[in-house]
Amino acid sequence: MTVQERDARLFAADALREARSAMASPPTEAGYFMAVFTLLAIGALFPELLADDADADA
C-alpha cells in the first residue's frame, strides 16, 4: 500500500464517520444529501470500509 493509498483510506474512514454522524443529527436536506453521497463514494472506492463497519455493528 502506497502512502497515497493509506492517506486516502484514512480520509475515507474520517469522512465515513462524519457522514454517519451527520445522518444521526437533526437532518438538513443538504447535509443528509452530502452524507448519502459520501457513503456512496466510499462504497465505490473502498467497499471494504463499509463491510468492516457493518461487521462491527453486528
Side-chain angles (χ1 to χ4, degrees):
M1 178 181 298
T2 68
V3 172
Q4 291 84 2
E5 290 169 332
R6 185 202 67 209
D7 289 348
R9 287 180 59 79
L10 289 172
F11 178 79
D14 287 342
L16 181 59
R17 191 171 22 262
E18 288 299 317
R20 292 234 163 101
S21 175
M23 291 177 82
S25 301
T28 63
E29 188 173 329
Y32 196 82
F33 174 78
M34 287 306 296
V36 170
F37 180 76
T38 300
L39 290 172
L40 292 172
I42 290 171
L45 295 170
F46 303 107
E48 68 277 3
L49 288 179
L50 295 180
D52 290 346
D53 197 43
D55 292 341
D57 290 342

